[in-house]
Amino acid sequence: MRTWTRRSFLQSTAAGIGMVAVPSFLMRAGKALAVPAGTVGATAAENLNGTYFADNFAVNEGTIRAAMKAALAKGGEFADLYFQHSAGNYLLLEDGQVSQAYTSVDLGVGVRVIVGNQTGFAFTEELTTESIVKAAETAASIAHGQAGKAPEAYRVAGHQTYYPIELAWEDVGVDTKIPFLEKINGRIFAQDDRVKKATIRFFDNTSRILVVNSDGLAIEDYQPQAYLGAGVVAEQNGRRERNGFNLAGRRDIGSFTDDSVQQIADTAVSRTVKLFEAVQPPAGEMTVVLAAGDAGILLHEAIGHGMEADFNRKNISIYADMINRRVANENVTVVDNGTNPHKRGSINVDDEGNLSERTVLVENGILRTYMHDRISAQHYGVAPTGSGRRESFRHTVMPRMRNTYMENGPHSAEEIIKSVKRGVYCQDFTNGQVEIGAGDFSFYVSAGYLIEDGKLTAPIKDANLIGNGPKALENVSLVGNDLQISVGGWTCGKNGQRVPVSQGLPTVRIDSSVTVGGVDGASHS
């Protein structure tokens, strides 16, 4: 195998790849994105002049005071500044060669002013006092009243970290990353001679944020992300199938071990070639068993969005009047949790500066709360749940999911499958559509099996699950004891914004409320 150095990588890939020129001040600050090795918690700067953005971009206390004064000048009830500096790297290996490589760097601040349920928002990519104050003045135009008083002092808070890392991504060169891509590629082609093409992707990103608000709070966070995955195309008798697998999360290079390489390659190949054996299931309403792990996307999409508080505050969600009412059987507990170690959707603090938490949405079948940001929490008279999220400094905050999953129940997976006379076992979904208000959904099953007389039989493909999320939740009859939270690179879209998330499930049986869109009259023996 060729030994890659940074020089040989640049020489071999310069043709056909657009290289990004990074301004020198961002390169200097990019180095400062790193945190000390073995960091297990986050300590606060002593004051605003000791934060990351003060050290690297001269955003000192004077700048923040001037911006906060401008933000409150027209009567805003609350204001916050969201500073962000991020750097990401992407590699793509196709046909055994690096075909794409790029680095992206982003920097800016968003200014938000709140009056009641209304938000004024503006952002700037220039971290000068003049530009930040102008953004604050623009955001403040939503208000029309007597000027509010800016804080006289700021407390810079510390917090726990749920994703400590040993080595910062800024210190990992392409010469270290490319061998991972090559090893996965080689193992994929060694697995099965039906494999015709493999596409391997490696992405890492590091973000530093600072949130300062008109309550006098300031808080920083360091947020790493990484993704390593493979897509496979295989051919048999002129028929082609494709599938893949990836590992993602708030992790460092040390978490991508030889076992990870093997898992990605082997799973991507096995998922793909299994499709040559797949049949179309019979169509009609039947019992559905959701497999532990990735099938939690159904919970996320069909139910989770309906529990985000903005949809309920606006009376869009079917759950708008369901607090403290039964929505599922007593074995069903659903949580949205930002504190799971190293998971993709975990956050130490949300994008309003609130500490992350484990939020119990449904407790033993009873709906207890929604996911709240500051605006919805004030509307309902409750505390925020650490769920206020935004895609970047260019976007304002909404209540969003983090890691959403159903907790363990009393049954084994074997017991659940054995209980089904005729049904489908669903492992993975793609191309889902959900109507948030009613909760109606349609999902394409990309991997699964028929269940016949209590046993998994033929793999299935080309099947849609059609149903209603709240109704499906009501009809969960058996909950397994094998909870798995997905290790994949999930991203949730809402109102044009995308944020990293994860989800999970134990094995779950749903009774007679889901229609399988297969083939009329199809059978398997």
Side-chain angles (χ1 to χ4, degrees), residues 300-328:
H300 170 104
E301 293 288 359
I303 299 162
H305 278 297
M307 294 182 182
E308 291 170 332
D310 52 346
F311 291 127
N312 291 280
R313 176 172 62 84
K314 298 171 184 177
N315 207 33
I316 294 171
S317 171
I318 197 169
Y319 294 114
D321 60 353
M322 297 288 283
I323 291 292
N324 293 325
R325 292 172 59 181
R326 181 166 295 282
V327 295

Side-chain angles (χ1 to χ4, degrees), residues 433-516:
Q433 293 183 335
V434 179
E435 183 182 345
I436 297 299
D440 295 329
F441 66 81
S442 175
F443 281 91
Y444 180 81
V445 181
S446 59
Y449 291 85
L450 291 176
I451 306 176
E452 298 174 299
D453 296 322
K455 297 180 181 179
L456 301 182
T457 58
I460 60 174
K461 62 172 294 184
D462 298 333
N464 283 303
L465 288 192
I466 302 165
N468 176 269
K471 188 68 175 176
L473 187 63
E474 290 177 13
N475 283 281
V476 170
S477 59
L478 299 176
V479 180
N481 56 13
D482 58 344
L483 169 65
Q484 293 181 29
I485 300 177
S486 177
V487 295
W490 299 95
T491 301
C492 175
K494 176 180 175 181
N495 294 347
Q497 293 193 43
R498 295 165 61 83
V499 296
V501 297
S502 191
Q503 63 276 321
L505 274 182
T507 302
V508 167
R509 171 175 164 157
I510 304 174
D511 289 340
S512 301
S513 61
V514 179
T515 298
V516 177

Side-chain angles (χ1 to χ4, degrees), residues 357-420:
E357 67 169 39
R358 172 181 174 270
T359 305
V360 179
L361 304 171
V362 178
E363 181 181 37
N364 302 129
I366 307 299
L367 179 62
R368 294 303 188 192
T369 192
Y370 307 126
M371 289 164 271
H372 288 286
D373 63 0
R374 180 184 181 88
I375 289 178
S376 67
Q378 286 190 327
H379 177 85
Y380 285 97
V382 298
T385 57
S387 306
R389 305 187 68 188
R390 61 179 104 200
E391 180 175 326
S392 75
F393 67 88
R394 296 180 179 86
H395 305 83
T396 192
V397 172
M398 295 181 286
R400 302 294 300 270
M401 283 176 275
R402 297 159 298 187
N403 305 307
T404 310
Y405 52 91
M406 189 180 296
E407 296 199 324
N408 278 325
H411 306 284
S412 69
E414 294 76 12
E415 177 186 357
I416 293 173
I417 293 168
K418 191 175 181 179
S419 73
V420 179

Side-chain angles (χ1 to χ4, degrees), residues 4 9 41 47 62 69 75 82 137 165 191 201 228 254 257 264 303 324 340 344 369-370 395 481 505:
W4 285 89
F9 167 71
N47 55 59
K69 181 179 178 181
Y82 178 86
E137 291 171 344
I165 66 170
Q191 291 293 302
R201 290 178 171 84
L228 179 60
T257 62
I264 291 170
I303 299 162
N324 293 325
N340 304 104
R344 182 166 162 84
T369 192
Y370 307 126
H395 305 83
N481 56 13
L505 274 182

Side-chain angles (χ1 to χ4, degrees), residues 88-383:
N89 303 284
Y90 177 81
L91 289 170
L92 175 65
L93 189 78
E94 293 182 295
D95 301 322
Q97 298 183 356
V98 175
S99 61
Q100 291 184 36
Y102 63 80
T103 293
S104 61
V105 178
D106 209 9
L107 176 69
V109 59
V111 185
R112 181 176 64 152
V113 176
I114 295 176
V115 180
N117 290 336
Q118 303 301 309
T119 298
F121 181 75
F123 70 88
T124 177
E125 298 172 354
E126 291 186 30
L127 296 191
T128 64
T129 300
E130 180 183 10
S131 292
I132 299 172
V133 168
K134 284 183 178 179
E137 291 171 344
T138 301
S141 62
I142 190 174
H144 302 281
Q146 185 176 354
K149 186 176 181 181
E152 295 182 1
Y154 291 90
R155 63 186 188 281
V156 184
H159 57 78
Q160 175 64 35
T161 184
Y162 301 107
Y163 28 86
I165 66 170
E166 294 293 330
L167 183 63
W169 285 109
E170 307 85 87
D171 296 325
V172 181
V174 292
D175 49 332
T176 301
K177 299 171 188 175
I178 287 178
F180 284 94
L181 308 182
E182 293 182 319
K183 288 177 183 178
I184 293 172
N185 186 74
R187 187 172 179 92
I188 283 174
F189 281 98
Q191 291 293 302
D192 197 300
D193 59 11
R194 290 173 290 181
V195 172
K196 301 303 178 185
K197 185 177 180 64
T199 304
I200 324 296
R201 290 178 171 84
F202 200 135
F203 173 76
D204 64 80
N205 179 272
T206 302
S207 183
R208 291 295 300 254
I209 68 168
L210 168 66
V211 183
V212 185
N213 70 29
S214 57
D215 290 337
L217 172 69
I219 194 164
E220 296 181 279
D221 196 24
Y222 172 88
Q223 300 173 339
Q225 281 278 7
Y227 171 105
L228 179 60
V232 171
V233 177
E235 184 175 350
Q236 177 178 294
N237 299 326
R239 171 180 160 192
R240 289 202 162 198
E241 297 288 357
R242 65 183 66 234
N243 213 309
F245 182 72
N246 64 78
L247 295 174
R250 297 197 183 276
R251 52 170 70 197
D252 62 10
I253 192 73
S255 66
F256 292 120
T257 62
D258 288 342
D259 288 343
S260 299
V261 167
Q262 180 177 328
Q263 181 184 9
I264 291 170
D266 294 1
T267 306
V269 172
S270 64
R271 284 184 173 183
T272 304
V273 300
K274 180 70 71 175
L275 294 174
F276 291 124
E277 308 168 27
V279 301
Q280 289 182 290
E285 192 173 89
M286 64 181 70
T287 300
V288 169
V289 176
L290 301 179
D294 288 350
I297 186 62
L298 187 64
L299 178 73
H300 170 104
E301 293 288 359
I303 299 162
H305 278 297
M307 294 182 182
E308 291 170 332
D310 52 346
F311 291 127
N312 291 280
R313 176 172 62 84
K314 298 171 184 177
N315 207 33
I316 294 171
S317 171
I318 197 169
Y319 294 114
D321 60 353
M322 297 288 283
I323 291 292
N324 293 325
R325 292 172 59 181
R326 181 166 295 282
V327 295
N329 82 36
E330 63 182 8
N331 290 325
V332 173
T333 293
V334 178
V335 303
D336 185 79
N337 193 347
T339 70
N340 304 104
H342 296 290
K343 292 301 182 184
R344 182 166 162 84
S346 295
I347 50 176
N348 295 325
V349 299
D350 74 1
D351 294 330
E352 297 181 300
N354 299 304
L355 297 180
S356 194
E357 67 169 39
R358 172 181 174 270
T359 305
V360 179
L361 304 171
V362 178
E363 181 181 37
N364 302 129
I366 307 299
L367 179 62
R368 294 303 188 192
T369 192
Y370 307 126
M371 289 164 271
H372 288 286
D373 63 0
R374 180 184 181 88
I375 289 178
S376 67
Q378 286 190 327
H379 177 85
Y380 285 97
V382 298

